[in-house]
PDB file of all heavy atoms in Angstrom:
ATOM      1  N   ALA A   1    -110.180  27.827  78.136  1.00  0.00           N
ATOM      2  CA  ALA A   1    -110.157  26.286  78.067  1.00  0.00           C
ATOM      3  C   ALA A   1    -108.732  25.815  77.961  1.00  0.00           C
ATOM      4  O   ALA A   1    -107.864  26.480  77.415  1.00  0.00           O
ATOM      5  CB  ALA A   1    -110.984  25.861  76.927  1.00  0.00           C
ATOM      6  N   ILE A   2    -108.522  24.662  78.446  1.00  0.00           N
ATOM      7  CA  ILE A   2    -107.189  24.031  78.430  1.00  0.00           C
ATOM      8  C   ILE A   2    -106.661  23.905  77.029  1.00  0.00           C
ATOM      9  O   ILE A   2    -107.331  23.608  76.065  1.00  0.00           O
ATOM     10  CB  ILE A   2    -107.188  22.642  79.057  1.00  0.00           C
ATOM     11  CG1 ILE A   2    -107.505  22.710  80.628  1.00  0.00           C
ATOM     12  CG2 ILE A   2    -105.949  21.876  78.854  1.00  0.00           C
ATOM     13  CD1 ILE A   2    -107.702  21.480  81.231  1.00  0.00           C
ATOM     14  N   ALA A   3    -105.383  24.302  76.837  1.00  0.00           N
ATOM     15  CA  ALA A   3    -104.740  24.251  75.517  1.00  0.00           C
ATOM     16  C   ALA A   3    -103.307  23.666  75.620  1.00  0.00           C
ATOM     17  O   ALA A   3    -102.954  23.318  76.729  1.00  0.00           O
ATOM     18  CB  ALA A   3    -104.710  25.628  74.902  1.00  0.00           C
ATOM     19  N   VAL A   4    -102.595  23.617  74.550  1.00  0.00           N
ATOM     20  CA  VAL A   4    -101.276  23.073  74.486  1.00  0.00           C
ATOM     21  C   VAL A   4    -100.305  24.233  74.584  1.00  0.00           C
ATOM     22  O   VAL A   4    -100.409  25.244  73.940  1.00  0.00           O
ATOM     23  CB  VAL A   4    -101.017  22.215  73.264  1.00  0.00           C
ATOM     24  CG1 VAL A   4     -99.609  21.732  73.193  1.00  0.00           C
ATOM     25  CG2 VAL A   4    -101.994  21.129  73.180  1.00  0.00           C
ATOM     26  N   ALA A   5     -99.174  24.058  75.355  1.00  0.00           N
ATOM     27  CA  ALA A   5     -98.139  25.113  75.482  1.00  0.00           C
ATOM     28  C   ALA A   5     -96.827  24.397  75.698  1.00  0.00           C
ATOM     29  O   ALA A   5     -96.683  23.220  75.794  1.00  0.00           O
ATOM     30  CB  ALA A   5     -98.429  25.933  76.686  1.00  0.00           C
ATOM     31  N   LEU A   6     -95.800  25.265  75.597  1.00  0.00           N
ATOM     32  CA  LEU A   6     -94.461  24.748  75.654  1.00  0.00           C
ATOM     33  C   LEU A   6     -93.725  25.171  76.984  1.00  0.00           C
ATOM     34  O   LEU A   6     -93.953  26.234  77.531  1.00  0.00           O
ATOM     35  CB  LEU A   6     -93.580  25.356  74.495  1.00  0.00           C
ATOM     36  CG  LEU A   6     -94.111  25.008  73.090  1.00  0.00           C
ATOM     37  CD1 LEU A   6     -93.280  25.739  72.036  1.00  0.00           C
ATOM     38  CD2 LEU A   6     -94.069  23.479  72.897  1.00  0.00           C
ATOM     39  N   LEU A   7     -92.866  24.326  77.492  1.00  0.00           N
ATOM     40  CA  LEU A   7     -92.119  24.526  78.712  1.00  0.00           C
ATOM     41  C   LEU A   7     -90.651  24.530  78.366  1.00  0.00           C
ATOM     42  O   LEU A   7     -90.148  23.570  77.801  1.00  0.00           O
ATOM     43  CB  LEU A   7     -92.395  23.507  79.779  1.00  0.00           C
ATOM     44  CG  LEU A   7     -91.693  23.499  81.112  1.00  0.00           C
ATOM     45  CD1 LEU A   7     -91.979  24.795  81.875  1.00  0.00           C
ATOM     46  CD2 LEU A   7     -91.998  22.339  81.977  1.00  0.00           C
ATOM     47  N   THR A   8     -89.856  25.615  78.735  1.00  0.00           N
ATOM     48  CA  THR A   8     -88.471  25.668  78.493  1.00  0.00           C
ATOM     49  C   THR A   8     -87.798  26.154  79.743  1.00  0.00           C
ATOM     50  O   THR A   8     -88.403  26.635  80.721  1.00  0.00           O
ATOM     51  CB  THR A   8     -88.076  26.639  77.336  1.00  0.00           C
ATOM     52  OG1 THR A   8     -88.622  27.914  77.603  1.00  0.00           O
ATOM     53  CG2 THR A   8     -88.746  26.130  76.032  1.00  0.00           C
ATOM     54  N   ALA A   9     -86.479  26.000  79.730  1.00  0.00           N
ATOM     55  CA  ALA A   9     -85.678  26.568  80.897  1.00  0.00           C
ATOM     56  C   ALA A   9     -84.782  27.568  80.445  1.00  0.00           C
ATOM     57  O   ALA A   9     -84.275  27.556  79.239  1.00  0.00           O
ATOM     58  CB  ALA A   9     -84.927  25.396  81.591  1.00  0.00           C
ATOM     59  N   ALA A  10     -84.418  28.584  81.263  1.00  0.00           N
ATOM     60  CA  ALA A  10     -83.479  29.672  80.843  1.00  0.00           C
ATOM     61  C   ALA A  10     -82.327  29.726  81.781  1.00  0.00           C
ATOM     62  O   ALA A  10     -82.434  29.489  83.034  1.00  0.00           O
ATOM     63  CB  ALA A  10     -84.250  31.032  80.874  1.00  0.00           C
ATOM     64  N   ALA A  11     -81.164  30.073  81.242  1.00  0.00           N
ATOM     65  CA  ALA A  11     -79.896  30.345  82.160  1.00  0.00           C
ATOM     66  C   ALA A  11     -79.953  31.716  82.637  1.00  0.00           C
ATOM     67  O   ALA A  11     -79.126  32.560  82.330  1.00  0.00           O
ATOM     68  CB  ALA A  11     -78.736  29.981  81.246  1.00  0.00           C
ATOM     69  N   ALA A  12     -80.942  32.021  83.476  1.00  0.00           N
ATOM     70  CA  ALA A  12     -81.177  33.346  83.928  1.00  0.00           C
ATOM     71  C   ALA A  12     -80.115  33.919  84.876  1.00  0.00           C
ATOM     72  O   ALA A  12     -79.789  35.037  84.850  1.00  0.00           O
ATOM     73  CB  ALA A  12     -82.502  33.437  84.626  1.00  0.00           C
ATOM     74  N   LEU A  13     -79.496  32.959  85.696  1.00  0.00           N
ATOM     75  CA  LEU A  13     -78.530  33.412  86.636  1.00  0.00           C
ATOM     76  C   LEU A  13     -77.281  33.949  85.915  1.00  0.00           C
ATOM     77  O   LEU A  13     -76.810  35.052  86.247  1.00  0.00           O
ATOM     78  CB  LEU A  13     -78.058  32.279  87.502  1.00  0.00           C
ATOM     79  CG  LEU A  13     -76.826  32.606  88.507  1.00  0.00           C
ATOM     80  CD1 LEU A  13     -77.178  33.683  89.392  1.00  0.00           C
ATOM     81  CD2 LEU A  13     -76.466  31.306  89.283  1.00  0.00           C
ATOM     82  N   ALA A  14     -76.758  33.339  84.899  1.00  0.00           N
ATOM     83  CA  ALA A  14     -75.659  33.813  84.152  1.00  0.00           C
ATOM     84  C   ALA A  14     -75.976  35.094  83.415  1.00  0.00           C
ATOM     85  O   ALA A  14     -75.201  36.059  83.457  1.00  0.00           O
ATOM     86  CB  ALA A  14     -75.259  32.729  83.102  1.00  0.00           C
ATOM     87  N   HIS A  15     -77.101  35.176  82.813  1.00  0.00           N
ATOM     88  CA  HIS A  15     -77.538  36.420  82.189  1.00  0.00           C
ATOM     89  C   HIS A  15     -77.611  37.625  83.118  1.00  0.00           C
ATOM     90  O   HIS A  15     -77.107  38.726  82.904  1.00  0.00           O
ATOM     91  CB  HIS A  15     -78.767  36.275  81.443  1.00  0.00           C
ATOM     92  CG  HIS A  15     -79.375  37.426  80.718  1.00  0.00           C
ATOM     93  ND1 HIS A  15     -78.857  37.790  79.437  1.00  0.00           N
ATOM     94  CD2 HIS A  15     -80.201  38.449  80.989  1.00  0.00           C
ATOM     95  CE1 HIS A  15     -79.432  38.978  79.054  1.00  0.00           C
ATOM     96  NE2 HIS A  15     -80.250  39.307  79.969  1.00  0.00           N
ATOM     97  N   TYR A  16     -78.234  37.335  84.229  1.00  0.00           N
ATOM     98  CA  TYR A  16     -78.425  38.411  85.274  1.00  0.00           C
ATOM     99  C   TYR A  16     -77.068  38.883  85.802  1.00  0.00           C
ATOM    100  O   TYR A  16     -76.764  40.090  85.947  1.00  0.00           O
ATOM    101  CB  TYR A  16     -79.249  37.810  86.410  1.00  0.00           C
ATOM    102  CG  TYR A  16     -79.505  38.760  87.585  1.00  0.00           C
ATOM    103  CD1 TYR A  16     -80.210  39.954  87.477  1.00  0.00           C
ATOM    104  CD2 TYR A  16     -79.101  38.389  88.887  1.00  0.00           C
ATOM    105  CE1 TYR A  16     -80.462  40.714  88.502  1.00  0.00           C
ATOM    106  CE2 TYR A  16     -79.389  39.181  90.011  1.00  0.00           C
ATOM    107  CZ  TYR A  16     -80.014  40.376  89.769  1.00  0.00           C
ATOM    108  OH  TYR A  16     -80.322  41.217  90.862  1.00  0.00           O
ATOM    109  N   ALA A  17     -76.159  37.918  86.128  1.00  0.00           N
ATOM    110  CA  ALA A  17     -74.797  38.274  86.658  1.00  0.00           C
ATOM    111  C   ALA A  17     -74.055  39.048  85.578  1.00  0.00           C
ATOM    112  O   ALA A  17     -73.251  39.957  85.950  1.00  0.00           O
ATOM    113  CB  ALA A  17     -74.157  36.956  87.064  1.00  0.00           C
ATOM    114  N   LEU A  18     -74.117  38.659  84.395  1.00  0.00           N
ATOM    115  CA  LEU A  18     -73.328  39.294  83.341  1.00  0.00           C
ATOM    116  C   LEU A  18     -73.811  40.733  83.071  1.00  0.00           C
ATOM    117  O   LEU A  18     -72.990  41.606  82.861  1.00  0.00           O
ATOM    118  CB  LEU A  18     -73.360  38.478  82.066  1.00  0.00           C
ATOM    119  CG  LEU A  18     -72.517  37.218  82.048  1.00  0.00           C
ATOM    120  CD1 LEU A  18     -72.751  36.334  80.814  1.00  0.00           C
ATOM    121  CD2 LEU A  18     -71.048  37.530  82.170  1.00  0.00           C
ATOM    122  N   ARG A  19     -75.196  40.974  83.213  1.00  0.00           N
ATOM    123  CA  ARG A  19     -75.572  42.262  83.186  1.00  0.00           C
ATOM    124  C   ARG A  19     -75.062  43.218  84.256  1.00  0.00           C
ATOM    125  O   ARG A  19     -74.674  44.317  83.997  1.00  0.00           O
ATOM    126  CB  ARG A  19     -77.150  42.343  83.228  1.00  0.00           C
ATOM    127  CG  ARG A  19     -77.836  41.776  81.955  1.00  0.00           C
ATOM    128  CD  ARG A  19     -79.368  41.999  82.073  1.00  0.00           C
ATOM    129  NE  ARG A  19     -79.692  43.397  81.954  1.00  0.00           N
ATOM    130  CZ  ARG A  19     -80.921  43.839  82.295  1.00  0.00           C
ATOM    131  NH1 ARG A  19     -81.895  42.989  82.596  1.00  0.00           N
ATOM    132  NH2 ARG A  19     -81.196  45.129  82.197  1.00  0.00           N
ATOM    133  N   ARG A  20     -74.912  42.626  85.503  1.00  0.00           N
ATOM    134  CA  ARG A  20     -74.308  43.385  86.583  1.00  0.00           C
ATOM    135  C   ARG A  20     -72.850  43.634  86.247  1.00  0.00           C
ATOM    136  O   ARG A  20     -72.299  44.621  86.561  1.00  0.00           O
ATOM    137  CB  ARG A  20     -74.522  42.572  87.899  1.00  0.00           C
ATOM    138  CG  ARG A  20     -75.906  42.586  88.445  1.00  0.00           C
ATOM    139  CD  ARG A  20     -75.986  41.808  89.743  1.00  0.00           C
ATOM    140  NE  ARG A  20     -77.218  41.983  90.346  1.00  0.00           N
ATOM    141  CZ  ARG A  20     -77.516  42.943  91.262  1.00  0.00           C
ATOM    142  NH1 ARG A  20     -76.617  43.838  91.465  1.00  0.00           N
ATOM    143  NH2 ARG A  20     -78.706  42.959  91.814  1.00  0.00           N
ATOM    144  N   ARG A  21     -72.154  42.576  85.686  1.00  0.00           N
ATOM    145  CA  ARG A  21     -70.764  42.699  85.402  1.00  0.00           C
ATOM    146  C   ARG A  21     -70.465  43.816  84.365  1.00  0.00           C
ATOM    147  O   ARG A  21     -69.502  44.570  84.488  1.00  0.00           O
ATOM    148  CB  ARG A  21     -70.236  41.358  84.810  1.00  0.00           C
ATOM    149  CG  ARG A  21     -68.703  41.322  84.552  1.00  0.00           C
ATOM    150  CD  ARG A  21     -68.410  39.978  83.998  1.00  0.00           C
ATOM    151  NE  ARG A  21     -67.028  39.920  83.554  1.00  0.00           N
ATOM    152  CZ  ARG A  21     -66.531  38.873  82.952  1.00  0.00           C
ATOM    153  NH1 ARG A  21     -67.224  37.833  82.660  1.00  0.00           N
ATOM    154  NH2 ARG A  21     -65.256  38.916  82.597  1.00  0.00           N
ATOM    155  N   ARG A  22     -71.355  43.937  83.416  1.00  0.00           N
ATOM    156  CA  ARG A  22     -71.112  44.992  82.320  1.00  0.00           C
ATOM    157  C   ARG A  22     -71.651  46.256  82.738  1.00  0.00           C
ATOM    158  O   ARG A  22     -71.184  47.303  82.003  1.00  0.00           O
ATOM    159  CB  ARG A  22     -71.939  44.480  81.067  1.00  0.00           C
ATOM    160  CG  ARG A  22     -71.268  43.200  80.475  1.00  0.00           C
ATOM    161  CD  ARG A  22     -72.177  42.625  79.455  1.00  0.00           C
ATOM    162  NE  ARG A  22     -71.682  41.415  78.922  1.00  0.00           N
ATOM    163  CZ  ARG A  22     -72.346  40.449  78.293  1.00  0.00           C
ATOM    164  NH1 ARG A  22     -73.695  40.575  78.174  1.00  0.00           N
ATOM    165  NH2 ARG A  22     -71.788  39.347  77.738  1.00  0.00           N
ATOM    166  N   ALA A  23     -72.493  46.414  83.751  1.00  0.00           N
ATOM    167  CA  ALA A  23     -73.065  47.709  84.104  1.00  0.00           C
ATOM    168  C   ALA A  23     -71.936  48.762  84.417  1.00  0.00           C
ATOM    169  O   ALA A  23     -72.100  49.897  83.985  1.00  0.00           O
ATOM    170  CB  ALA A  23     -73.947  47.569  85.278  1.00  0.00           C
ATOM    171  N   PRO A  24     -70.847  48.475  85.144  1.00  0.00           N
ATOM    172  CA  PRO A  24     -69.836  49.511  85.399  1.00  0.00           C
ATOM    173  C   PRO A  24     -69.223  50.100  84.136  1.00  0.00           C
ATOM    174  O   PRO A  24     -69.022  51.346  84.086  1.00  0.00           O
ATOM    175  CB  PRO A  24     -68.775  48.822  86.266  1.00  0.00           C
ATOM    176  CG  PRO A  24     -69.593  47.689  86.875  1.00  0.00           C
ATOM    177  CD  PRO A  24     -70.513  47.256  85.883  1.00  0.00           C
ATOM    178  N   ALA A  25     -69.000  49.278  83.179  1.00  0.00           N
ATOM    179  CA  ALA A  25     -68.354  49.818  81.948  1.00  0.00           C
ATOM    180  C   ALA A  25     -69.246  50.730  81.209  1.00  0.00           C
ATOM    181  O   ALA A  25     -68.808  51.605  80.473  1.00  0.00           O
ATOM    182  CB  ALA A  25     -68.027  48.568  81.034  1.00  0.00           C
ATOM    183  N   ALA A  26     -70.600  50.589  81.450  1.00  0.00           N
ATOM    184  CA  ALA A  26     -71.546  51.538  80.799  1.00  0.00           C
ATOM    185  C   ALA A  26     -71.762  52.748  81.668  1.00  0.00           C
ATOM    186  O   ALA A  26     -72.653  53.579  81.317  1.00  0.00           O
ATOM    187  CB  ALA A  26     -72.855  50.806  80.550  1.00  0.00           C
ATOM    188  N   GLY A  27     -71.084  52.904  82.754  1.00  0.00           N
ATOM    189  CA  GLY A  27     -71.252  54.136  83.610  1.00  0.00           C
ATOM    190  C   GLY A  27     -72.439  54.010  84.568  1.00  0.00           C
ATOM    191  O   GLY A  27     -73.138  54.966  84.833  1.00  0.00           O
ATOM    192  N   PHE A  28     -72.763  52.784  85.053  1.00  0.00           N
ATOM    193  CA  PHE A  28     -73.826  52.589  85.929  1.00  0.00           C
ATOM    194  C   PHE A  28     -73.304  51.968  87.300  1.00  0.00           C
ATOM    195  O   PHE A  28     -72.231  51.307  87.320  1.00  0.00           O
ATOM    196  CB  PHE A  28     -74.892  51.607  85.440  1.00  0.00           C
ATOM    197  CG  PHE A  28     -75.656  52.208  84.217  1.00  0.00           C
ATOM    198  CD1 PHE A  28     -75.196  52.042  82.964  1.00  0.00           C
ATOM    199  CD2 PHE A  28     -76.782  52.975  84.463  1.00  0.00           C
ATOM    200  CE1 PHE A  28     -75.849  52.603  81.867  1.00  0.00           C
ATOM    201  CE2 PHE A  28     -77.535  53.499  83.379  1.00  0.00           C
ATOM    202  CZ  PHE A  28     -77.069  53.299  82.095  1.00  0.00           C
ATOM    203  N   ARG A  29     -74.099  52.115  88.372  1.00  0.00           N
ATOM    204  CA  ARG A  29     -73.775  51.414  89.625  1.00  0.00           C
ATOM    205  C   ARG A  29     -75.107  50.903  90.140  1.00  0.00           C
ATOM    206  O   ARG A  29     -76.153  51.366  89.831  1.00  0.00           O
ATOM    207  CB  ARG A  29     -73.006  52.294  90.498  1.00  0.00           C
ATOM    208  CG  ARG A  29     -73.869  53.470  91.092  1.00  0.00           C
ATOM    209  CD  ARG A  29     -72.972  54.352  91.999  1.00  0.00           C
ATOM    210  NE  ARG A  29     -73.657  55.536  92.388  1.00  0.00           N
ATOM    211  CZ  ARG A  29     -74.434  55.635  93.418  1.00  0.00           C
ATOM    212  NH1 ARG A  29     -74.639  54.593  94.255  1.00  0.00           N
ATOM    213  NH2 ARG A  29     -75.037  56.796  93.819  1.00  0.00           N
ATOM    214  N   HIS A  30     -74.993  49.883  91.059  1.00  0.00           N
ATOM    215  CA  HIS A  30     -76.174  49.307  91.707  1.00  0.00           C
ATOM    216  C   HIS A  30     -76.275  49.776  93.078  1.00  0.00           C
ATOM    217  O   HIS A  30     -75.332  49.868  93.867  1.00  0.00           O
ATOM    218  CB  HIS A  30     -76.081  47.792  91.692  1.00  0.00           C
ATOM    219  CG  HIS A  30     -76.236  47.174  90.303  1.00  0.00           C
ATOM    220  ND1 HIS A  30     -77.375  46.780  89.859  1.00  0.00           N
ATOM    221  CD2 HIS A  30     -75.317  46.917  89.444  1.00  0.00           C
ATOM    222  CE1 HIS A  30     -77.210  46.240  88.638  1.00  0.00           C
ATOM    223  NE2 HIS A  30     -75.970  46.300  88.343  1.00  0.00           N
ATOM    224  N   ARG A  31     -77.485  50.095  93.438  1.00  0.00           N
ATOM    225  CA  ARG A  31     -77.846  50.436  94.869  1.00  0.00           C
ATOM    226  C   ARG A  31     -79.072  49.600  95.148  1.00  0.00           C
ATOM    227  O   ARG A  31     -80.122  49.809  94.743  1.00  0.00           O
ATOM    228  CB  ARG A  31     -78.175  51.952  95.021  1.00  0.00           C
ATOM    229  CG  ARG A  31     -78.595  52.298  96.508  1.00  0.00           C
ATOM    230  CD  ARG A  31     -78.882  53.773  96.671  1.00  0.00           C
ATOM    231  NE  ARG A  31     -77.695  54.562  96.365  1.00  0.00           N
ATOM    232  CZ  ARG A  31     -77.740  55.851  96.172  1.00  0.00           C
ATOM    233  NH1 ARG A  31     -78.922  56.534  96.145  1.00  0.00           N
ATOM    234  NH2 ARG A  31     -76.650  56.505  95.997  1.00  0.00           N
ATOM    235  N   GLY A  32     -78.730  48.591  95.977  1.00  0.00           N
ATOM    236  CA  GLY A  32     -79.772  47.540  96.270  1.00  0.00           C
ATOM    237  C   GLY A  32     -80.153  46.854  95.005  1.00  0.00           C
ATOM    238  O   GLY A  32     -79.330  46.302  94.391  1.00  0.00           O
ATOM    239  N   ASN A  33     -81.486  46.945  94.656  1.00  0.00           N
ATOM    240  CA  ASN A  33     -81.914  46.331  93.377  1.00  0.00           C
ATOM    241  C   ASN A  33     -82.024  47.307  92.216  1.00  0.00           C
ATOM    242  O   ASN A  33     -82.500  46.890  91.131  1.00  0.00           O
ATOM    243  CB  ASN A  33     -83.338  45.687  93.677  1.00  0.00           C
ATOM    244  CG  ASN A  33     -83.248  44.601  94.661  1.00  0.00           C
ATOM    245  OD1 ASN A  33     -82.234  43.874  94.683  1.00  0.00           O
ATOM    246  ND2 ASN A  33     -84.310  44.331  95.339  1.00  0.00           N
ATOM    247  N   CYS A  34     -81.495  48.508  92.387  1.00  0.00           N
ATOM    248  CA  CYS A  34     -81.663  49.522  91.313  1.00  0.00           C
ATOM    249  C   CYS A  34     -80.282  49.806  90.636  1.00  0.00           C
ATOM    250  O   CYS A  34     -79.163  49.656  91.277  1.00  0.00           O
ATOM    251  CB  CYS A  34     -82.112  50.843  91.957  1.00  0.00           C
ATOM    252  SG  CYS A  34     -83.715  50.703  92.724  1.00  0.00           S
ATOM    253  N   MET A  35     -80.326  50.075  89.326  1.00  0.00           N
ATOM    254  CA  MET A  35     -79.195  50.403  88.552  1.00  0.00           C
ATOM    255  C   MET A  35     -79.272  51.869  88.279  1.00  0.00           C
ATOM    256  O   MET A  35     -80.152  52.432  87.810  1.00  0.00           O
ATOM    257  CB  MET A  35     -79.173  49.678  87.221  1.00  0.00           C
ATOM    258  CG  MET A  35     -77.863  49.840  86.416  1.00  0.00           C
ATOM    259  SD  MET A  35     -77.965  48.831  84.844  1.00  0.00           S
ATOM    260  CE  MET A  35     -78.013  47.264  85.461  1.00  0.00           C
ATOM    261  N   LEU A  36     -78.216  52.591  88.775  1.00  0.00           N
ATOM    262  CA  LEU A  36     -78.148  54.081  88.687  1.00  0.00           C
ATOM    263  C   LEU A  36     -76.924  54.580  87.889  1.00  0.00           C
ATOM    264  O   LEU A  36     -75.947  53.980  87.991  1.00  0.00           O
ATOM    265  CB  LEU A  36     -78.153  54.682  90.130  1.00  0.00           C
ATOM    266  CG  LEU A  36     -79.241  54.256  91.121  1.00  0.00           C
ATOM    267  CD1 LEU A  36     -78.918  54.747  92.462  1.00  0.00           C
ATOM    268  CD2 LEU A  36     -80.599  54.711  90.614  1.00  0.00           C
ATOM    269  N   ALA A  37     -77.215  55.643  87.184  1.00  0.00           N
ATOM    270  CA  ALA A  37     -75.988  56.240  86.488  1.00  0.00           C
ATOM    271  C   ALA A  37     -75.037  56.865  87.408  1.00  0.00           C
ATOM    272  O   ALA A  37     -75.477  57.493  88.409  1.00  0.00           O
ATOM    273  CB  ALA A  37     -76.585  57.351  85.457  1.00  0.00           C
ATOM    274  N   ALA A  38     -73.749  56.530  87.186  1.00  0.00           N
ATOM    275  CA  ALA A  38     -72.741  57.104  88.106  1.00  0.00           C
ATOM    276  C   ALA A  38     -71.379  56.976  87.456  1.00  0.00           C
ATOM    277  O   ALA A  38     -71.204  56.302  86.461  1.00  0.00           O
ATOM    278  CB  ALA A  38     -72.770  56.268  89.465  1.00  0.00           C
ATOM    279  N   GLN A  39     -70.432  57.671  88.024  1.00  0.00           N
ATOM    280  CA  GLN A  39     -69.079  57.629  87.527  1.00  0.00           C
ATOM    281  C   GLN A  39     -68.311  56.419  88.212  1.00  0.00           C
ATOM    282  O   GLN A  39     -67.475  55.847  87.588  1.00  0.00           O
ATOM    283  CB  GLN A  39     -68.399  58.937  87.768  1.00  0.00           C
ATOM    284  CG  GLN A  39     -68.982  60.126  87.063  1.00  0.00           C
ATOM    285  CD  GLN A  39     -68.917  59.907  85.543  1.00  0.00           C
ATOM    286  OE1 GLN A  39     -67.870  59.493  85.016  1.00  0.00           O
ATOM    287  NE2 GLN A  39     -70.069  60.188  84.877  1.00  0.00           N
ATOM    288  N   GLU A  40     -68.636  56.250  89.471  1.00  0.00           N
ATOM    289  CA  GLU A  40     -67.930  55.161  90.198  1.00  0.00           C
ATOM    290  C   GLU A  40     -68.393  53.809  89.644  1.00  0.00           C
ATOM    291  O   GLU A  40     -69.554  53.697  89.233  1.00  0.00           O
ATOM    292  CB  GLU A  40     -68.119  55.220  91.675  1.00  0.00           C
ATOM    293  CG  GLU A  40     -69.600  55.154  92.111  1.00  0.00           C
ATOM    294  CD  GLU A  40     -69.820  55.373  93.530  1.00  0.00           C
ATOM    295  OE1 GLU A  40     -69.393  54.583  94.359  1.00  0.00           O
ATOM    296  OE2 GLU A  40     -70.446  56.419  93.828  1.00  0.00           O
ATOM    297  N   HIS A  41     -67.439  52.888  89.707  1.00  0.00           N
ATOM    298  CA  HIS A  41     -67.759  51.519  89.141  1.00  0.00           C
ATOM    299  C   HIS A  41     -67.762  50.514  90.296  1.00  0.00           C
ATOM    300  O   HIS A  41     -66.776  50.052  90.842  1.00  0.00           O
ATOM    301  CB  HIS A  41     -66.630  51.118  88.178  1.00  0.00           C
ATOM    302  CG  HIS A  41     -66.653  51.995  86.901  1.00  0.00           C
ATOM    303  ND1 HIS A  41     -65.602  51.988  86.052  1.00  0.00           N
ATOM    304  CD2 HIS A  41     -67.505  52.825  86.517  1.00  0.00           C
ATOM    305  CE1 HIS A  41     -65.869  52.821  85.030  1.00  0.00           C
ATOM    306  NE2 HIS A  41     -67.005  53.370  85.325  1.00  0.00           N
ATOM    307  N   SER A  42     -68.988  50.236  90.767  1.00  0.00           N
ATOM    308  CA  SER A  42     -69.147  49.245  91.846  1.00  0.00           C
ATOM    309  C   SER A  42     -70.459  48.508  91.710  1.00  0.00           C
ATOM    310  O   SER A  42     -71.365  48.973  90.997  1.00  0.00           O
ATOM    311  CB  SER A  42     -69.128  49.999  93.203  1.00  0.00           C
ATOM    312  OG  SER A  42     -70.242  50.870  93.248  1.00  0.00           O
ATOM    313  N   ILE A  43     -70.545  47.328  92.341  1.00  0.00           N
ATOM    314  CA  ILE A  43     -71.706  46.521  92.347  1.00  0.00           C
ATOM    315  C   ILE A  43     -72.035  46.178  93.766  1.00  0.00           C
ATOM    316  O   ILE A  43     -71.260  45.787  94.562  1.00  0.00           O
ATOM    317  CB  ILE A  43     -71.512  45.169  91.581  1.00  0.00           C
ATOM    318  CG1 ILE A  43     -71.148  45.478  90.074  1.00  0.00           C
ATOM    319  CG2 ILE A  43     -72.735  44.344  91.681  1.00  0.00           C
ATOM    320  CD1 ILE A  43     -70.899  44.237  89.238  1.00  0.00           C
ATOM    321  N   THR A  44     -73.338  46.580  94.169  1.00  0.00           N
ATOM    322  CA  THR A  44     -73.834  46.213  95.461  1.00  0.00           C
ATOM    323  C   THR A  44     -75.032  45.260  95.276  1.00  0.00           C
ATOM    324  O   THR A  44     -75.925  45.607  94.604  1.00  0.00           O
ATOM    325  CB  THR A  44     -74.316  47.507  96.217  1.00  0.00           C
ATOM    326  OG1 THR A  44     -73.163  48.424  96.227  1.00  0.00           O
ATOM    327  CG2 THR A  44     -74.794  47.136  97.585  1.00  0.00           C
ATOM    328  N   VAL A  45     -74.960  44.092  95.979  1.00  0.00           N
ATOM    329  CA  VAL A  45     -76.012  43.088  95.802  1.00  0.00           C
ATOM    330  C   VAL A  45     -76.822  43.087  97.134  1.00  0.00           C
ATOM    331  O   VAL A  45     -76.257  43.044  98.206  1.00  0.00           O
ATOM    332  CB  VAL A  45     -75.410  41.732  95.530  1.00  0.00           C
ATOM    333  CG1 VAL A  45     -76.478  40.710  95.429  1.00  0.00           C
ATOM    334  CG2 VAL A  45     -74.565  41.756  94.289  1.00  0.00           C
TER     335      VAL A  45
END
């Protein structure tokens, strides 16, 4: 049955981009939509 709920907005773009930005420092790289362990530091979108 219908109930009361809350609606909020999230700054998801900034969070998503910053996760990509920090990934190289942690020894990861992106291939397409996947994050893979690697020595090289690169981001592929």
Side-chain angles (χ1 to χ4, degrees):
I2 293 175
V4 177
L6 301 175
L7 176 64
T8 58
L13 174 59
H15 181 79
Y16 178 61
L18 287 172
R19 287 187 68 190
R20 286 180 172 274
R21 180 182 176 187
R22 292 166 181 159
F28 292 90
R29 64 185 175 88
H30 289 270
R31 177 178 296 165
N33 293 332
C34 300
M35 188 181 293
L36 305 173
Q39 295 300 315
E40 60 186 292
H41 295 168
S42 62
I43 297 177
T44 303
V45 180

